[in-house]
């Protein structure tokens, strides 16, 4: 039995929408890469799929993707104060628990992940940021660096900012 695409109604729909489970053809399908929401701590179930029909993409994936990209833009503009800057930031609140990234491949990605998680929590700054690295040399002859870090998210208002 042939299945018809839920969007264009043409036969031979060989893909399935991840949300509504309806058959969809390759021409009508909307795709998201598997690591699209990789900076999120917990990716919502409805955006973990890679294939969407048009209506589900418009209702579910597109708004989530727009929100994710807006948070990424805010994360790029977040204020970051290293542990060494604690004299400058001594009046900033440190009530929140530290955000920690135990392992990352790149220093800049580590900082962006910390900033993104701070933005997701509703903060605009990270204080007491500590970044550590460890050189790893597995059995082969090539070595790489493993990065880890943590920071305390906080809200910085103009009266507290330098």
């Amino acid at each position: 039995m042939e299945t018809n695409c839920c969007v264009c109604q043409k036969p031979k729909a060989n893909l399935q929408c991840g949300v509504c489970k309806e058959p969809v053809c390759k021409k009508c399908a909307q795709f998201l890469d598997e690591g699209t929401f990789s900076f999120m701590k917990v990716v919502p179930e409805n955006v973990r799929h890679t294939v969407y029909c048009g209506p589900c993409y418009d209702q579910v994936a597109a708004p989530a993707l727009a929100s994710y990209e807006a948070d990424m833009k805010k994360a790029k503009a977040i204020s970051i104060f290293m542990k060494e800057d604690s004299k400058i930031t001594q009046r900033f609140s440190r009530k929140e628990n530290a955000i920690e990234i135990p392992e990352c491949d790149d220093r800049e990605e580590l900082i962006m992940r910390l900033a993104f998680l701070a933005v997701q929590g509703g903060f605009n700054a990270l204080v007491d940021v500590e970044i550590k690295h460890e050189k790893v040399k597995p059995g082969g002859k090539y070595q790489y660096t493993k990065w880890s870090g943590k920071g305390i998210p906080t809200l910085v208002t103009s009266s507290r900012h330098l």
Side-chain angles (χ1 to χ4, degrees):
M1 183 175 161
E2 286 186 4
T3 56
N4 292 339
C5 174
C6 67
V7 178
C8 67
Q9 298 302 316
K10 290 184 180 176
K12 297 186 181 178
N14 55 353
L15 299 172
Q16 185 180 35
C17 175
V19 177
C20 67
K21 308 295 185 210
E22 291 290 326
V24 61
C25 67
K26 188 174 181 180
K27 187 176 180 182
C28 296
Q30 300 281 333
F31 298 96
L32 283 180
D33 292 332
E34 199 161 312
T36 301
F37 298 99
S38 67
F39 279 49
M40 291 179 122
K41 201 168 206 165
V42 177
V43 180
E45 182 64 38
N46 57 356
V47 292
R48 289 185 186 166
H49 312 289
T50 55
V51 180
Y52 296 88
C53 65
C56 288
Y57 182 85
D58 292 341
Q59 293 172 358
V60 176
L65 189 58
S67 174
Y68 180 79
E69 288 172 352
D71 284 350
M72 284 298 279
K73 188 175 180 180
K74 288 178 190 173
K76 289 178 182 177
I78 200 169
S79 299
I80 296 178
F81 300 96
M82 303 305 279
K83 182 82 168 177
E84 300 82 39
D85 300 328
S86 60
K87 271 208 183 276
I88 298 170
T89 63
Q90 64 187 359
R91 293 186 180 165
F92 294 174
S93 172
R94 288 169 171 78
K95 293 178 184 174
E96 297 297 321
N97 293 330
I99 297 172
E100 190 167 348
I101 305 291
E103 187 175 330
C104 196
D105 294 333
D106 182 59
R107 183 181 192 276
E108 299 305 316
E109 181 183 341
L110 172 72
I111 292 170
M112 273 304 295
R113 286 185 181 278
L114 287 169
F116 183 82
L117 292 176
V119 166
Q120 290 243 297
F123 301 101
N124 65 359
L126 280 167
V127 295
D128 296 343
V129 175
E130 291 182 80
I131 297 175
K132 297 177 185 172
H133 67 282
E134 174 187 350
K135 293 195 182 212
V136 179
K137 190 171 186 176
K141 59 183 176 182
Y142 298 106
Q143 72 179 19
Y144 64 95
T145 305
K146 194 167 58 169
W147 296 87
S148 62
K150 65 180 179 178
I152 300 172
T154 189
L155 277 173
V156 177
T157 59
S158 59
S159 64
R160 287 189 188 164
H161 205 269
L162 305 174

